[in-house]
Amino acid sequence: MRQLLVPYYEHPTARPTAWQTLLASPRLYGVILNPASGPGTAADPAFGDVADRLRATGTRVLGYVDTDYGRRPHAEVVRDLLRHRDWYGVTGAFLDQVSAGPEALAHYRRLAVAARAAGAGSLVLNHGTHPDPGYLRLADVLVTFEGTWETYRTAEQPPAWTRTCPADRFCHLVYAADTDLTALAAERGAALHCAVPGDGVHPWGTLPHGLGAVRPR
């Protein structure tokens, strides 16, 4: 079952063995492509290659775009969406640092429309917390937790509105973790997840727990 939504923010030429391990996993729902805190200023062939290989396995390839909690101009976000599409052939978009309050819904509704127009078949919004339920109408998946394993273990239960939604609409991203969290995430209503051992300022440079068996060749 494809349950892992993986932010792996390492260059393919610097970590070829790790990328190969990731590419071989049968559990990938999607991988977030992040060449330079976004698409960068020029196409990187190494990321183009891993994007091609991920698509060949049926894995969603999501282009990373920072929205700075609604402060980043609409035109800059759209520029990055288009660069991801044109340079890497991404099949979806991962909007990071997304506001959670209802006052920003109109802004993110415009961005969601732009992402779809740019070819995003899958749209993920990373709030890192439980947002206003209106955001569920904008995206395929909401990231409703991002933080440490210690914080995740003691986090409050999800709000009541989430319990009426399919679990595959929610994702939890956990770092400084020493184990897979498939069962715990499922208990908290999230079918999608990623738990990595990394910590500090760059936790998403480590591979997730629970990658599973290697695909047969």
Side-chain angles (χ1 to χ4, degrees):
M1 186 174 182
R2 292 175 177 262
Q3 299 168 313
L4 295 176
L5 176 58
V6 181
Y8 187 55
Y9 302 159
E10 289 290 334
H11 198 276
T13 60
R15 298 286 188 273
T17 301
W19 270 101
Q20 184 57 47
T21 299
L22 186 63
L23 284 157
S25 174
R27 296 191 61 203
L28 297 179
Y29 168 90
V31 172
I32 301 161
L33 209 69
N34 188 10
S37 297
T41 57
D44 186 325
F47 278 101
D49 177 64
V50 295
D52 289 345
R53 294 168 68 191
L54 285 165
R55 287 195 307 272
T57 69
T59 300
R60 295 168 180 82
V61 184
L62 309 174
Y64 175 95
V65 181
D66 183 18
T67 72
D68 194 21
Y69 299 106
R71 293 186 290 264
R72 195 163 181 230
H74 177 88
E76 289 187 13
V77 175
V78 173
R79 178 201 63 196
D80 282 358
L81 290 167
L82 294 174
R83 284 179 173 177
H84 273 300
R85 181 196 67 186
D86 296 342
W87 294 347
Y88 306 115
V90 298
T91 56
F94 180 89
L95 301 188
D96 196 21
Q97 299 199 106
V98 175
S99 301
E103 67 282 352
L105 272 168
H107 173 72
Y108 284 99
R109 188 175 296 111
R110 288 183 65 217
L111 289 180
V113 170
R116 301 297 190 188
S122 300
L123 177 60
V124 178
L125 302 182
N126 183 15
H127 308 277
T129 188
H130 291 287
D132 183 273
Y135 287 94
L136 197 63
R137 294 191 291 271
L138 308 184
D140 300 287
V141 176
L142 304 182
V143 177
T144 56
F145 182 90
E146 181 178 359
T148 66
W149 171 246
E150 192 62 34
T151 303
Y152 187 67
R153 290 175 58 218
T154 58
E156 295 182 358
Q157 290 299 311
W161 66 266
T162 65
R163 297 171 202 149
T164 63
C165 304
D168 62 3
R169 302 295 304 278
F170 302 107
C171 177
H172 296 162
L173 301 178
V174 181
Y175 53 90
D178 57 10
T179 186
D180 181 29
L181 56 83
T182 302
L184 184 54
E187 287 177 13
R188 298 188 175 185
L192 306 178
H193 60 273
C194 185
V196 301
D199 199 356
V201 297
H202 181 43
W204 306 116
T206 54
L207 291 177
H209 297 289
L211 281 178
V214 174
R215 299 178 196 275
R217 296 189 182 279

